[in-house]
C-alpha cells in the first residue's frame, strides 16, 4: 500500500528508526531518523509530519517539521521545544521507531542563477541546509551565499554544517556574532547584481527579504510555517492568503500542498 | 470467510459500515497511497454549497487535549465546479460517493439537491444542517426541529437518492430533531457533527481561532457522540450513522453496539491516513472472531 498513485505527489507513511536525538542549542534539538523511502523521494523545502506519540491521543496531531538534512537514507529534523509535543519528542530515545508521513508539500525550485542566496532566521535556517547541499550538487559552478540571523550568538545553530556548503555571513540582534542588526541589512549590503533568494524564518524577516527582492528584481522563494492537522491537503486548515485575489474560492492557498515554499509575490506574507 | 459485512441505509447497500467523514478525507484521491478506496463502505466528500466559498481567515485549526478545534468555514468550489471538475475523478475511484451539501436557505438546499439528483454515481446526499463555523445557515437549521424538518422535506422532494441528515450535537435534545427529520422523510441520520468549542492564547489574550469559536472533534468527543447515537437509535426507526472521535476498531464496534448501522471516520484520518482501509479488514476479522455471521447482528446489541 505504499506505492503512490499518479495524481498525488509521492509520499509515504513510514516507520523510521531514531538514530540520534540531541540538543544542539538553547531549546533546540536535532533528530536523525533512518527512513529510506522518505529520504529517497524528498526534495529541499519539503516537510514530514511526525507522530510524537504512538497510540496516545494527547497530543493528538502529528507535528509538521521541515527536512533539515538528508544523508543517504537518514533525514535530520531540527526542532524547538515549545510545548507538550516537542517536549515528548525531545525525550524519545535512540533506536525507537517513529512514524513519519512524507515527504510532503512543494519544495524549493532550483533554477540556474549566477548567485543563490539563502537567507534564514531563527529556526527558519532548518530547510536551508538541505537546500544549500542540493544546489551545490545540482549546480556546482554557481555561487552560493548563506546569510543567517538570530537574536544572539547561542541561537546560531550548527554553523559548521552551513559553512561546509558555502560561505556564511551572520547577523545578530544583540551584535554578539556577525553584523549587529537584521539579516535583511546584511542581504542589502552583501548581495549585488543578479541573484535568486530563498528565505525561511520569522514573518517580519521574510517580509523584509521579500520587499528587498522586489526592489532589486530578484526572484524570491519563501518557505512558510503553519498550524496544520493533516499535512496532505485534506483538512484545509493551513491557509495563507493569495496576493491580489478577491473574496472568492481562489482567495486562499494551503501551506501543506500549495507550499510550504511559495514565490514571494504569490501570497500576502 | 463466511461473515457478511454488508449494511443497508434504506435501499442502499454498503459493502461494509466503514465510511469517511466529510471534510476529513478531501476528495478521496489524496488518500489513495494509503487506502484501497474500493474497499470502503463509502466516502463523504467535503461540504458543497451553491456558490464557491473562500472559507474563514486563518488560523483555522488548533489542537486541544485529545482533540482539535476547526473553523474552516466550508471552503469549497461550489456545486457547478464540483460537478464539472470533481465528479469525473470521483467516479473513477471505484467507491460509493456521498455528497455533503450546505445552504444558507431552504431554497439553497433544494437547488443543491436538485442539481445533484440527476448526477449518476452519487450514492447518497448528506445534508449538513449543523456546521458551527458559518455565520448564517447551517446550524440554524440544525437546532430547530421544525426548520430541520423543512430542510429535509425540501431535499427529499427533489431527489430519489438516499437522504442522510447530519445532526448537530449543540442542542438540548438531539432525539427531538432526529424524530422531526425522520417524519419529514429522511432516509437516515448521521451524528454527531462537531461540538462548539473555544481556546484562548493566554500570552496574547486572544482566541486561538480567527473565527473565535470552532468545532471540537477527535477522541475527546467520543463519549458524547456515543451517548447521542445511543439515544437517537432508540428514538427513530431509520438507520443511524455514528460519527465522533472514532479512532480504532473498538470504537467502531462500540458505536454499532450503541445502535449505529454504519460509522464515519473523521479526525483520525489526519493522524493515520491509512486508518479507514485498515478498519475494513479489522472489522471483518472481528466479526469472524467474535462468532458473528453478519454485521447487522452488532447494530444496537448493547445490553442495558
Amino acid at each position: 500500500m505504499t506505492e503512490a498513485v499518479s495524481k498525488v505527489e509521492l509520499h509515504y507513511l513510514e516507520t523510521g528508526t531514531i538514530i540520534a536525538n540531541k540538543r544542539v542549542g538553547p531549546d533546540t534539538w536535532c533528530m536523525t531518523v533512518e527512513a529510506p523511502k522518505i529520504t529517497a523521494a524528498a526534495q529541499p523545502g519539503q516537510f514530514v509530519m511526525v507522530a510524537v506519540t504512538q497510540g496516545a491521543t494527547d497530543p493528538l496531531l502529528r507535528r509538521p517539521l521541515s527536512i533539515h538534512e538528508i544523508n543517504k537514507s537518514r533525514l535530520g529534523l531540527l526542532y524547538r521545544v515549545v510545548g507538550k509535543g516537542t517536549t515528548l519528542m525531545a525525550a524519545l530515545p535512540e533506536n525507537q521507531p517513529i512514524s513519519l508521513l512524507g515527504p510532503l508539500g512543494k519544495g524549493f525550485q532550483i533554477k540556474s542563477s549566477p548567485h543563490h542566496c539563502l537567507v534564514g532566521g531563527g529556526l527558519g535556517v532548518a530547510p536551508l541546509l538541505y537546500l544549500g547541499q542540493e544546489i551545490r550538487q545540482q549546480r556546482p559552478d554557481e555561487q552560493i551565499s548563506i546569510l543567517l540571523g538570530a537574536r544572539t550568538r547561542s541561537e546560531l545553530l550548527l554553523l559548521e554544517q552551513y559553512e561546509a556548503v558555502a560561505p556564511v555571513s551572520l547577523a545578530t540582534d544583540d551584535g554578539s556574532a556577525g553584523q549587529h542588526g537584521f539579516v535583511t541589512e546584511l542581504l542589502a549590503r552583501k548581495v549585488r547584481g543578479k541573484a535568486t533568494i530563498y528565505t525561511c524564518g520569522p514573518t517580519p524577516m521574510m517580509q523584509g527579504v521579500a520587499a528587498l527582492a522586489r526592489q532589486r528584481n530578484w526572484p524570491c522563494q519563501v518557505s512558510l510555517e503553519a498550524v496544520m492537522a493533516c499535512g496532505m491537503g485534506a483538512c484545509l486548515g493551513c491557509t495563507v492568503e493569495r496576493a491580489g485575489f478577491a473574496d472568492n474560492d481562489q482567495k486562499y492557498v494551503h501551506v501543506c500542498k500549495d507550499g510550504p515554499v511559495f514565490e514571494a509575490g504569490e501570497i500576502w506574507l | 470467510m463466511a461473515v457478511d459485512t454488508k449494511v443497508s441505509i434504506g435501499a442502499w447497500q454498503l459493502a461494509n459500515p466503514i465510511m469517511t467523514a466529510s471534510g476529513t478525507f478531501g476528495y478521496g484521491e489524496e488518500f489513495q497511497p494509503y487506502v484501497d478506496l474500493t474497499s470502503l463502505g463509502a466516502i463523504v466528500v467535503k461540504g458543497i454549497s451553491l456558490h464557491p466559498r473562500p472559507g474563514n481567515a486563518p488560523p483555522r485549526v488548533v489542537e486541544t487535549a485529545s482533540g482539535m478545534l476547526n473553523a474552516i468555514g466550508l471552503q469549497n468550489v461550489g456545486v457547478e465546479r464540483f460537478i464539472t471538475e470533481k465528479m469525473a475523478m470521483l467516479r473513477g475511484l471505484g467507491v460509493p460517493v456521498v455528497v455533503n451539501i450546505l445552504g444558507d436557505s431552504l431554497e439553497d438546499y433544494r437547488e443543491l439537491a436538485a442539481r445533484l439528483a440527476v448526477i449518476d454515481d452519487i450514492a447518497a446526499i448528506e445534508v449538513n444542517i449543523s456546521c458551527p463555523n458559518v455565520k448564517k445557515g447551517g446550524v440554524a437549521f440544525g437546532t430547530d426541529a421544525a426548520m430541520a424538518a423543512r430542510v429535509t422535506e425540501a431535499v427529499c422532494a427533489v431527489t430519489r437518492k438516499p437522504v442522510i441528515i447530519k445532526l448537530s450535537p449543540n442542542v438540548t435534545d438531539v432525539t427531538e430533531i432526529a424524530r422531526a427529520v425522520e417524519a419529514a422523510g429522511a432516509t437516515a441520520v448521521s451524528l454527531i457533527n462537531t461540538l462548539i468549542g473555544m481556546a484562548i492564547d493566554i500570552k496574547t489574550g486572544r482566541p486561538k481561532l480567527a473565527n473565535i469559536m470552532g468545532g471540537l472533534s477527535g477522541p475527546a468527543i467520543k463519549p458524547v457522540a456515543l451517548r447521542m447515537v445511543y439515544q437517537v437509535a432508540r428514538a427513530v426507526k431509520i438507520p443511524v450513522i455514528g460519527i465522533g472521535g472514532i479512532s480504532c476498531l473498538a470504537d467502531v464496534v462500540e458505536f454499532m453496539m450503541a445502535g449505529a448501522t454504519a460509522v464515519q471516520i473523521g479526525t483520525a484520518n489526519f493522524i493515520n491516513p491509512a486508518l479507514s482501509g485498515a478498519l475494513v479488514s479489522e472489522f471483518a476479522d472481528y466479526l469472524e472472531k467474535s462468532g458473528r455471521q453478519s454485521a447487522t447482528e452488532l447494530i444496537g446489541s448493547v445490553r442495558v
Side-chain angles (χ1 to χ4, degrees):
Chain A
M1 285 311 299
T2 47
E3 293 310 313
V5 187
S6 60
K7 275 189 202 161
V8 287
E9 303 82 358
L10 200 65
H11 51 72
Y12 304 95
L13 192 56
E14 183 170 28
T15 302
T17 304
I18 299 172
I19 302 300
N21 191 16
K22 287 183 197 137
R23 189 175 182 155
V24 295
D27 305 327
T28 308
W29 296 65
C30 188
M31 178 184 278
T32 307
V33 183
E34 172 81 20
K37 286 181 194 154
I38 292 175
T39 48
Q43 301 289 326
Q46 288 188 300
F47 66 102
V48 292
M49 294 292 282
V50 182
V52 295
T53 60
Q54 218 149 13
T57 61
D58 188 20
L60 182 68
L61 303 173
R62 290 170 179 265
R63 266 45 186 170
L65 292 172
S66 64
I67 299 171
H68 169 60
E69 187 182 20
I70 299 260
N71 190 348
K72 299 194 178 83
S73 59
R74 293 175 178 182
L75 59 85
L77 303 169
L78 197 62
Y79 61 100
R80 184 165 287 158
V81 176
V82 288
K84 190 171 180 177
T86 41
T87 301
L88 286 168
M89 189 171 166
L92 294 175
E94 287 173 17
N95 298 317
Q96 179 153 319
I98 186 163
S99 170
L100 306 179
L101 175 64
L104 296 165
K106 187 167 80 54
F108 291 103
Q109 306 291 313
I110 302 173
K111 292 178 187 157
S112 181
S113 172
H115 189 179
H116 300 272
C117 189
L118 284 53
V119 187
L123 205 64
V125 303
L128 300 183
L129 181 68
Y130 178 29
L131 173 66
Q133 290 169 335
E134 199 64 26
I135 298 173
R136 173 65 67 228
Q137 199 180 345
Q138 288 183 21
R139 309 202 168 268
D141 303 328
E142 297 175 358
Q143 187 189 353
I144 305 175
S145 300
I146 302 177
L147 282 63
L148 303 178
R151 282 179 299 189
T152 185
R153 172 188 284 273
S154 64
E155 290 180 6
L156 287 162
L157 306 165
L158 303 167
L159 278 183
E160 66 290 352
Q161 289 189 324
Y162 293 86
E163 281 160 350
V165 174
V168 175
S169 306
L170 303 174
T172 50
D173 295 359
D174 64 0
S176 56
Q179 163 149 331
H180 189 171
F182 295 133
V183 72
T184 336
E185 297 157 18
L186 203 60
L187 177 67
R189 195 163 50 79
K190 285 225 161 198
V191 181
R192 304 280 171 193
K194 287 191 172 177
T196 300
I197 312 296
Y198 312 81
T199 186
C200 183
T203 303
M205 185 210 85
M206 290 197 289
Q207 285 170 336
V209 171
L212 184 66
R214 212 164 38 241
Q215 281 169 26
R216 300 200 183 174
N217 281 319
W218 292 329
C220 178
Q221 298 174 41
V222 297
S223 175
L224 304 189
E225 190 181 40
V227 179
M228 55 182 74
C230 71
M232 46 193 274
C235 76
L236 307 182
C238 56
T239 316
V240 58
E241 209 172 327
R242 292 174 86 188
F245 278 83
D247 196 28
N248 59 28
D249 68 326
Q250 311 282 306
K251 184 177 177 183
Y252 296 112
V253 285
H254 297 285
V255 172
C256 71
K257 227 182 159 177
D258 303 306
V261 178
F262 295 90
E263 294 292 335
E266 199 182 337
I267 42 127
W268 295 125
L269 269 171
Chain B
M1 240 195 6
V3 292
D4 180 4
T5 59
K6 292 191 292 296
V7 293
S8 294
I9 306 288
W12 175 37
Q13 197 171 65
L14 286 77
N16 61 70
I18 310 296
M19 307 168 68
T20 58
S22 179
T24 68
F25 207 65
Y27 290 105
E29 57 180 348
E30 293 88 344
F31 287 78
Q32 270 183 326
Y34 307 112
V35 176
D36 173 7
L37 297 177
T38 62
S39 74
L40 298 175
I43 64 170
V44 186
V45 297
K46 175 79 184 163
I48 300 295
S49 50
L50 208 48
H51 304 291
R53 286 180 190 252
N56 292 329
R60 291 178 170 187
V61 295
V62 57
E63 190 177 40
T64 58
S66 299
M68 60 177 276
L69 289 165
N70 87 78
I72 306 302
L74 294 156
Q75 178 186 342
N76 79 94
V77 298
V79 70
E80 191 63 51
R81 281 177 52 204
F82 172 77
I83 292 169
T84 55
E85 293 173 19
K86 302 292 182 187
M87 267 316 295
M89 182 278 298
L90 285 167
R91 281 192 184 98
L93 295 179
V95 60
V97 172
V98 178
V99 178
N100 182 289
I101 61 170
L102 178 123
D104 290 335
S105 64
L106 274 179
E107 210 30 66
D108 278 8
Y109 281 107
R110 194 192 332 264
E111 193 174 336
L112 276 162
R115 293 291 309 274
L116 297 168
V118 294
I119 306 293
D120 289 338
D121 303 311
I122 293 175
I125 301 295
E126 183 178 65
V127 184
N128 185 353
I129 56 167
S130 49
C131 180
N133 294 327
V134 288
K135 286 197 179 69
K136 51 180 181 170
V139 76
F141 294 100
T143 54
D144 180 304
M147 284 303 293
R150 288 180 63 192
V151 173
T152 307
E153 278 166 11
V155 171
C156 291
V158 295
T159 188
R160 291 185 174 180
K161 296 187 190 293
V163 173
I164 303 161
I165 306 293
K166 187 166 181 177
L167 302 180
S168 171
N170 304 302
V171 295
T172 308
D173 180 4
V174 70
T175 63
E176 185 197 350
I177 317 277
R179 279 192 298 262
V181 302
E182 178 184 41
T187 315
V189 289
S190 58
L191 69 154
I192 60 175
N193 205 323
T194 55
L195 287 150
I196 298 174
M198 184 173 176
I200 296 171
D201 181 336
I202 61 165
K203 283 187 204 132
T204 61
R206 292 177 183 280
K208 287 187 178 175
L209 293 172
N211 194 53
I212 304 173
M213 289 174 273
L216 180 65
S217 66
I221 70 167
K222 201 197 89 181
V224 177
L226 193 70
R227 180 266 295 181
M228 289 192 166
V229 165
Y230 174 77
Q231 289 179 313
V232 168
R234 299 200 155 213
V236 298
K237 294 191 176 64
I238 53 176
V240 175
I241 300 168
I243 321 167
I246 298 173
S247 310
C248 62
L249 176 72
D251 294 344
V252 173
V253 174
E254 259 191 280
F255 272 84
M256 292 188 71
M257 285 181 167
T261 294
V263 296
Q264 293 179 8
I265 315 303
T267 299
N269 292 314
F270 298 154
I271 296 117
N272 178 4
L275 180 69
S276 56
L279 288 176
V280 171
S281 48
E282 287 177 28
F283 181 73
D285 288 349
Y286 168 81
L287 285 183
E288 193 170 18
K289 289 199 180 108
S290 64
R292 290 180 172 86
Q293 312 284 307
S294 156
T296 55
E297 289 170 37
L298 264 183
I299 302 167
S301 65
V302 62
R303 295 158 61 186
V304 289

